[in-house]
Amino acid sequence: MTLPPETSWTRESSAPAEERQSSAFLWMRAIFRWVLAGGFFFSVCPVLILLGVFVDPRRNDGPQRWLCRNVVRLAGARVEVRRSAGFDPNKVCFFVSNHVNLFDPFVLYSVIPQFIRGLELESHFRIPVYGWLMKRFGNVPVPEVNRPSDLKRMWRMTRAAVDQGVSLVVFPEGGRTITGRVGPFRDGAFRMAEEFGTPITPVSIVGSFAFNSKTSWMLRPATIVVWLHDAIETGGGSKRDAAELRDQVWKAVSGPVHASMSEGAAGESAPAGKTKA
């Protein structure tokens, strides 16, 4: 007796079931990771706020870094750092980075090896616990409505932070990417850098979009690589305007991000069993 040949539908019928199982597992994993990371954050933050009342934030920097590292770890991501040969960990500057998801500040605070604070949307300061922590620790509110008085306050607070030796993290896209690519940069931070003569260190966050995106609550296993580039000097009699500085920094930040996305797309289209050199 001859057995009938295997039909294609036999193999195809199992694929949707496997995909559903995989999807269900990822969702269960994501829920577990959100609960784990969120529970840790909201349980430790009140302790740090209390410490912040009695201890200078600079002396309290270690526990804050510990919080940030563990939030990212418990959310299920690994973090690697790549420093350029000319990166100066002691230079006070603006760290200008692309913005992918809610974990970016935690990732950057974990890996930038100096005392830093950030320019952050003013609406974030109204988030319970998180907003109180950011206000106490000295983050600079960025107004969402460009009233002259609010902008002057932002410039004044930024200048005061830099003059006190505090580097600031800036997300000049003004929001999180929805494609993974680096969007256009706004001019504000570059105008301040030119006026204050404060160097800019471009920072590229690579792999974070695969971990979590703005349009989804899914947390996928991923490795996030942070590139710390050479600082770019500003001011000091330079005739370069803020727009040229903005474009130069955008190219530095977007380079590793877009290269990684291109490599990923090439890998997805490569024949099975082959790897790229």
Side-chain angles (χ1 to χ4, degrees), residues 15-276:
E18 293 174 357
E19 291 175 1
R20 286 195 297 270
Q21 290 176 356
S22 177
S23 178
F25 171 77
L26 285 174
W27 274 109
M28 290 175 63
R29 179 189 179 280
I31 292 170
F32 172 73
R33 290 293 185 177
W34 275 113
V35 171
L36 203 60
F40 175 77
F41 175 78
F42 285 106
S43 61
V44 173
C45 264
V47 178
L48 292 182
I49 292 173
L50 185 61
L51 282 175
V53 174
F54 302 102
V55 181
D56 184 271
R58 288 177 184 260
R59 297 183 178 180
N60 199 26
D61 195 47
Q64 296 164 32
R65 291 181 181 278
W66 176 79
L67 167 72
C68 292
R69 282 195 301 269
N70 282 284
V71 165
V72 177
R73 181 178 62 84
L74 293 173
R78 294 179 65 253
V79 179
E80 297 178 0
V81 186
R82 297 181 185 176
R83 302 185 188 181
S84 70
F87 173 75
D88 184 352
N90 300 310
K91 185 184 289 290
V92 176
C93 62
F94 289 126
F95 287 96
V96 175
S97 172
N98 56 313
H99 195 10
V100 182
N101 57 47
L102 297 173
F103 293 90
D104 292 342
F106 297 97
V107 169
L108 294 179
Y109 199 31
S110 300
V111 302
I112 294 176
Q114 61 171 276
F115 187 78
I116 57 172
R117 287 297 178 258
L119 274 75
E120 189 161 1
L121 287 176
E122 197 165 24
S123 59
H124 293 181
F125 288 76
R126 295 191 288 270
I127 300 174
V129 182
Y130 178 83
W132 306 331
L133 192 67
M134 295 305 100
K135 183 177 181 180
R136 170 57 189 166
F137 288 166
N139 278 15
V140 177
V142 177
E144 291 164 274
V145 179
N146 292 333
R147 290 190 293 264
S149 58
D150 292 337
L151 292 174
K152 288 180 180 179
R153 180 190 62 183
M154 180 185 70
W155 280 57
R156 184 175 65 252
M157 293 179 67
T158 301
R159 184 60 184 264
V162 170
D163 288 346
Q164 292 168 12
V166 179
S167 293
L168 294 168
V169 173
V170 184
F171 298 122
E173 293 167 277
R176 290 168 283 164
T177 177
I178 60 173
T179 64
R181 298 184 66 82
V182 182
F185 284 174
R186 299 181 180 181
D187 290 342
F190 306 99
R191 291 169 54 201
M192 287 192 290
E194 287 285 9
E195 180 170 321
F196 303 160
T198 305
I200 287 179
T201 299
V203 180
S204 306
I205 302 178
V206 179
S208 195
F209 191 72
F211 167 58
N212 173 250
S213 65
K214 180 179 180 179
T215 57
S216 172
W217 286 97
M218 184 69 75
L219 296 177
R220 297 179 177 85
T223 297
I224 300 170
V225 181
V226 181
W227 296 65
L228 300 174
H229 301 274
D230 292 345
I232 298 172
E233 298 297 332
T234 65
S238 172
K239 295 182 179 180
R240 177 185 53 201
D241 61 22
E244 291 176 346
L245 176 63
R246 176 200 65 204
D247 293 343
Q248 181 182 1
V249 175
W250 185 90
K251 289 178 181 178
V253 172
S254 64
V257 177
H258 294 173
S260 175
M261 295 180 70
S262 298
E263 290 172 3
E268 290 172 2
S269 61
K274 296 185 179 180
T275 58
K276 302 187 299 300

